Amino acid sequence: EAQVTQNPRYLITVTGKKLTVTCSQNMNHEYMSWYRQDPGLGLRQIYYSMNVEVTDKGDVPEGYKVSRKEKRNFPLILESPSPNQTSLYFCASSLARDSGANVLTFGAGSRLTVL
Amino acid sequence: AQSVAQPEDQVNVAEGNPLTVKCTYSVSGNPYLFWYVQYPNRGLQFLLKYITGDNLVKGSYGFEAEFNKSQTSFHLKKPSALVSDSALYFCAVRAGYSSASKIIFGSGTRLSIRP
């Protein structure tokens, strides 16, 4: 089944304790992206990647890091989490070639709470 | 600047009645417009998109959307609502041909269908 898999789905952590949210897709998509969803704000892009070793900042990159060493994986790293990073996180992927009309496939989401 | 507005936080409709979820956008150039749906504890799922051509676009689960260039709107519609349509709906716009061009999501509209 074609899918985007995120782990963990739920996580409660404390301020300053580094964590990684993994994202993996099995569709050979070039484009991958991380979003955070907050009430009343919709989805805001954190980082995106057009292909292996190519990443760029989205609208709200502060406090986050990403890497794209393999095409299928795009982990989101919070080096020193803070309470304002409590949110619902989504990873998404799509084809990248030729068309901005490509549809995003989303993971099921990771709900992160930082105490 | 590129933006998307969903003016209604919540829409309530009786089962069997028609429904409309509103979306307006602002981009420079030709827009690519999308609707996604989010069911509880799930990621976003693609419903439909407008690229070019016929202003009335048909999508999944009986939904359709009408592109209106003069009013810069892309309202989501369904002739007869089902209780199972209850979910959170997001409108999104991408300006530009490249997949690297930013996709902006609206703040979401919660659709509630009462039996």
Side-chain angles (χ1 to χ4, degrees):
Chain A
E1 180 188 355
Q3 60 185 357
V4 176
T5 303
Q6 296 178 227
N7 282 296
R9 292 289 314 279
Y10 303 91
L11 179 62
I12 300 174
T13 189
V14 295
T15 299
K17 186 176 182 181
K18 180 180 178 180
L19 67 91
T20 299
V21 186
T22 63
C23 174
S24 180
Q25 51 92 6
N26 62 1
M27 296 164 283
N28 202 35
H29 285 168
E30 298 89 0
Y31 180 90
M32 297 186 75
S33 181
W34 276 102
Y35 297 88
R36 60 177 289 173
Q37 182 182 6
D38 301 291
L41 297 178
L43 272 74
R44 293 180 293 168
Q45 189 178 49
I46 304 171
Y47 269 95
Y48 67 95
S49 169
M50 292 297 293
N51 214 324
V52 176
E53 302 291 1
V54 181
T55 63
D56 208 347
K57 295 177 181 179
D59 294 316
V60 289
E62 295 79 18
Y64 304 95
K65 285 176 58 177
V66 293
S67 67
R68 188 90 181 273
K69 293 183 170 57
E70 304 165 286
K71 196 172 186 179
R72 64 185 295 122
N73 295 324
F74 191 45
L76 179 70
I77 303 159
L78 286 73
E79 293 272 5
S80 182
S82 62
N84 65 11
Q85 292 179 297
T86 292
S87 187
L88 180 58
Y89 292 86
F90 288 102
C91 180
S93 71
S94 76
L95 295 169
R97 55 184 178 273
D98 298 336
S99 174
N102 289 322
V103 169
L104 290 167
T105 300
F106 283 83
S110 296
R111 185 168 293 281
L112 171 65
T113 301
V114 183
L115 302 176
Chain B
Q2 189 174 326
S3 66
V4 176
Q6 293 182 244
E8 301 157 316
D9 290 336
Q10 175 128 2
V11 171
N12 299 309
V13 177
E15 188 175 26
N17 283 1
L19 69 87
T20 299
V21 183
K22 296 179 180 177
C23 172
T24 59
Y25 66 91
S26 174
V27 297
S28 54
N30 294 323
Y32 294 93
L33 293 155
F34 304 82
W35 276 100
Y36 288 84
V37 60
Q38 183 182 23
Y39 297 103
N41 299 314
R42 303 284 297 277
L44 280 71
Q45 299 175 31
F46 169 72
L47 269 182
L48 51 78
K49 66 182 177 183
Y50 172 82
I51 306 170
T52 186
D54 193 347
N55 289 343
L56 186 65
V57 179
K58 293 189 184 298
S60 307
Y61 312 120
F63 283 93
E64 57 190 27
E66 186 168 11
F67 172 65
N68 188 317
K69 188 173 184 177
S70 62
Q71 296 185 5
T72 61
S73 67
F74 190 55
H75 300 332
L76 182 69
K77 301 180 180 184
K78 187 172 182 181
S80 179
L82 298 172
V83 172
S84 57
D85 293 329
S86 298
L88 186 57
Y89 290 80
F90 289 96
C91 181
V93 63
R94 172 179 267 144
Y97 184 74
S98 167
S99 289
S101 57
K102 186 181 294 186
I103 181 167
I104 300 292
F105 286 86
S107 56
T109 298
R110 188 164 299 281
L111 178 62
S112 178
I113 309 299
R114 60 184 183 275

